[in-house]
Amino acid sequence: MNKLNAQDIAKLLGTIPKWKYMKSTSGESIYRKFEFKSFETSWAFLTRVAMKSHKMGHHPKIINEYNMVEIELTTHDVKGLSELDFKMAKSLDKAAI
């Protein structure tokens, strides 16, 4: 797994328009806030996230408050973003429907 450069990140961000690029002292990540109709539907989404995370071997930072779920993705092994982060983001977008 390789760390993506700025050009690759910009290109891949175009494929996940609801996600935002973030850069901090701890590295690079992508972030999205999901909003659901209720706590139960947000929790059902989190169950799907858990299963996808397990299958892909990629575990996101998750914050849940009632009907809101915030997810941040980064690849710790490369201390930045990899293609796996973008694959996971696309998978989570599909799981949110």
Side-chain angles (χ1 to χ4, degrees), residues 37-80:
K37 292 180 182 181
S38 67
F39 176 75
E40 292 78 15
T41 54
S42 69
W43 200 257
F45 170 69
L46 287 170
T47 300
R48 293 189 295 276
V49 170
M51 295 307 296
K52 290 178 180 298
S53 297
H54 177 71
K55 287 180 182 178
M56 294 179 79
H58 192 20
H59 302 91
K61 177 180 177 182
I62 301 169
I63 299 171
N64 171 235
E65 184 176 349
Y66 183 61
N67 68 331
M68 305 294 271
V69 176
E70 298 176 60
I71 296 187
E72 186 177 344
L73 300 170
T74 191
T75 302
H76 299 284
D77 291 343
V78 301
K79 298 183 176 138

Side-chain angles (χ1 to χ4, degrees), residues 12 26 65 81 92:
L12 288 168
S26 60
E65 184 176 349
L81 292 168
L92 297 180

